[in-house]
Amino acid sequence: MGRVGVLLLNLGGPEQIEDVRPFLFNLFSDPEIIRLPFPWLQKPLAWLISSSRAKQSQDNYQQIGGGSPLRRITEEQAQALQASLRHKGHDANVYIGMRYWYPFTEEAVARIKRDSIEQLVILPLYPQFSISTSGSSFRLLERLWLEDPGLQRISYTLIPTWYSRPGYVRAMAELIARELDRLPDPDATHVFFSAHGVPSSYVEEAGDPYQKEIEHCTQLIMKALNRPNDYTLAYQSRVGPMEWLQPYTEDAIATLADQGVKDLVVVPISFVSEHIETLQEIDIEYREIAEEAGIEGFHRVPALNTHGGFIDDMADMVVEALKAPRCLFSDVVQPEKVKLYPQERSAWGLTPFAEVWNGRLAMVGFLALLLELVSGQGPLHFVGLL
Ligand SMILES: C=CC1=C(C)c2cc3[nH]c(cc4nc(cc5[nH]c(cc1n2)c(C)c5CCC(=O)O)C(CCC(=O)O)=C4C)c(C)c3C=C
Ligand SMILES: [Fe+2]
Ligand SMILES: [Fe+2]
């Protein structure tokens, strides 16, 4: 076996308050996050949305100490994984490639090349696949591979989804059980899974398997937990005015409170590290909503971070991937399996006449957006997007 590398993919997060705006710009520049019919509109719109969202987002990051803990935790996970692989007899370098902040995926790929890695396992730190997360990182990597013959010499394999691994499911169940057992009446406590949401159109129109995987994942965890607790799955962190996966976390909390539920154990399920949506959104915002609605005990299960059983299972997953048939970009991001770019369908092409008018209308729309940003008034403010 040649030199082995593992590339951990993650989202990245602003490390200090000044990073928030450029981080948001990178995020909204991603066509997998905002899907526009006109690629040339992507950057101007990303600039508009990041500028208007920056203040609120900065306030949120301020509440958790001024920055995201994501880089630190991902580096700890990488070190722990490298040690676990070594312990199992595999000498592998573990790299981190973030999608929207440092260390960027491009930097990781440059280091992988410099270290002459010959076999590479690409492992997203998202247990469930979504077009907007793992899919976006794969799309970027696929482009880097296409552009660079040096990378094409590396024998890579992808692990697109891994939420059903027994080690991961067991570790999640263990953390939930630990939290329940701290409470006076563990069996009467409601287990509340809160997954990061995506717009419903991703699932319904673009074929994102995310919702199905999240639902199956909660079922597997409840089976492993093997307790009589009632449970709910809801989706958090909606951005913008369009419809996202439902029920929304805030609505589901209110419904349970109305039904007389008094104790909740909240389980963040779509991400394996603490981050702003656990530390600020769940621990501060949803706690407040729950307490106002009449929930007396609001508890949260910690993220896996460097949980021993979880890291050990990740190491096994890497070893198994090195032995298994390779999984290539073309196996994951083929449009017939997951339609990544609905805007690429001919519906947008229409006729040359229509394309000219599409362009003109888009220009008018963009000028209207600029005007709204400058004046502070307009339809987007009305619906709450700006
Ligand atoms: C599986 C996890 C995630 C999915 C799916 C996801 C989709 C998604 N996210 C946005 C918009 C934002 N996400 C933001 C932060 C953020 N998102 C995730 C995970 C998923 N996103 C994480 C872990 C984080 C936090 C990183 C950190 O700093 O700790 C943000 C920025 C924060 C804020 O302003 O609220 C935005 C914006 C969309 C639009 C989307 C699907 C289309
Ligand atoms: Fe997000
Ligand atoms: Fe949020």
Side-chain angles (χ1 to χ4, degrees):
M1 206 181 273
R3 283 179 152 226
V4 176
V6 179
L7 173 57
L8 298 179
L9 300 174
N10 212 339
L11 187 117
E15 285 165 69
Q16 44 192 349
I17 287 301
E18 304 82 73
D19 299 343
V20 170
R21 186 194 292 251
F23 161 76
L24 290 176
F25 177 79
N26 292 342
L27 189 132
F28 289 115
S29 297
D30 181 355
E32 251 61 82
I33 290 284
I34 293 199
R35 342 187 84 228
L36 296 174
F38 313 106
W40 60 268
L41 249 185
Q42 191 85 39
K43 297 266 178 199
L45 196 66
W47 179 82
L48 271 175
I49 301 178
S50 57
S51 303
S52 61
R53 196 180 164 82
K55 172 78 179 66
Q56 185 202 329
S57 196
Q58 282 168 346
D59 287 350
N60 293 344
Y61 280 103
Q62 204 65 268
Q63 289 174 43
I64 63 163
S68 172
L70 211 50
R71 181 177 189 158
R72 174 182 55 76
I73 297 171
T74 311
E75 280 169 356
E76 288 167 7
Q77 288 170 326
Q79 276 171 17
L81 176 62
Q82 189 158 316
S84 179
L85 281 166
R86 205 148 284 168
H87 190 69
K88 291 175 194 288
H90 294 270
D91 201 10
N93 288 356
V94 181
Y95 304 87
I96 295 170
M98 300 291 197
R99 184 67 183 87
Y100 307 118
W101 205 245
Y102 299 94
F104 284 108
T105 310
E106 290 86 342
E107 298 172 52
V109 166
R111 289 183 50 219
I112 287 165
K113 258 179 82 178
R114 196 192 57 208
D115 292 348
S116 307
I117 294 298
E118 291 163 78
Q119 271 196 294
L120 182 67
V121 177
I122 301 177
L123 171 55
L125 285 174
Y126 310 97
Q128 309 86 8
F129 181 90
S130 168
I131 293 167
S132 58
T133 55
S134 309
S136 167
S137 285
F138 289 164
R139 196 79 173 181
L140 168 62
L141 283 170
E142 185 180 33
R143 207 174 59 229
L144 297 177
W145 245 254
L146 275 174
E147 286 166 0
D148 187 343
L151 289 176
Q152 290 160 19
R153 282 193 282 274
I154 300 175
S155 167
Y156 72 86
T157 187
L158 305 173
I159 304 180
T161 178
W162 46 269
Y163 70 87
S164 59
R165 286 198 60 91
Y168 161 75
V169 171
R170 224 180 4 252
M172 287 296 291
E174 193 186 296
L175 289 183
I176 299 171
R178 208 183 288 169
E179 199 60 37
L180 288 173
D181 289 340
R182 270 199 253 270
L183 305 177
D185 192 357
D187 290 354
T189 300
H190 198 94
V191 177
F192 189 104
F193 291 96
S194 189
H196 197 299
V198 295
S200 319
S201 62
Y202 280 50
V203 174
E204 283 154 20
E205 289 160 36
D208 197 334
Y210 180 72
Q211 184 178 21
K212 233 176 27 226
E213 295 197 3
I214 288 279
E215 286 171 1
H216 189 210
C217 183
T218 52
Q219 287 157 9
L220 292 174
I221 294 172
M222 284 311 291
K223 197 159 169 235
L225 181 64
N226 197 22
R227 302 262 184 123
N229 302 72
D230 289 331
Y231 79 97
T232 295
L233 164 63
Y235 295 90
Q236 66 174 83
S237 315
R238 183 163 65 114
V239 183
M242 63 278 196
E243 191 190 309
W244 282 45
L245 294 182
Q246 296 195 35
Y248 300 137
T249 292
E250 60 272 33
D251 297 343
I253 290 174
T255 306
L256 290 171
D258 283 348
Q259 290 167 358
V261 170
K262 290 288 171 225
D263 291 291
L264 287 187
V265 159
V266 181
V267 189
I269 194 189
S270 36
F271 209 63
V272 293
S273 320
E274 296 296 350
H275 60 289
I276 186 148
E277 320 287 16
T278 54
L279 301 171
Q280 194 276 332
E281 198 166 11
I282 298 180
D283 290 354
I284 301 177
E285 286 181 36
Y286 293 135
R287 172 184 298 280
E288 225 173 86
I289 290 174
E291 287 173 354
E292 270 170 25
I295 300 285
E296 289 165 6
F298 184 90
H299 311 272
R300 182 172 64 88
V301 171
L304 286 166
N305 293 344
T306 51
H307 181 285
F310 164 58
I311 298 290
D312 186 57
D313 191 48
M314 276 216 290
D316 288 343
M317 178 157 57
V318 167
V319 174
E320 287 164 30
L322 285 166
K323 292 184 193 143
R326 291 172 62 200
C327 176
L328 307 178
F329 297 121
S330 54
D331 295 322
V332 177
V333 293
Q334 286 300 312
E336 61 270 20
K337 287 180 191 160
V338 171
K339 290 179 195 146
L340 278 177
Y341 287 100
Q343 70 265 40
E344 276 176 5
R345 284 179 300 185
S346 58
W348 294 112
L350 300 170
T351 62
F353 173 82
E355 281 193 356
V356 167
W357 273 100
N358 280 344
R360 286 177 184 167
L361 287 172
M363 183 56 82
V364 170
F366 180 55
L367 289 175
L369 268 175
L370 267 183
L371 200 68
E372 178 164 349
L373 196 77
V374 173
S375 69
Q377 284 180 344
L380 292 178
H381 281 85
F382 182 71
V383 295
L385 185 61
L386 289 182

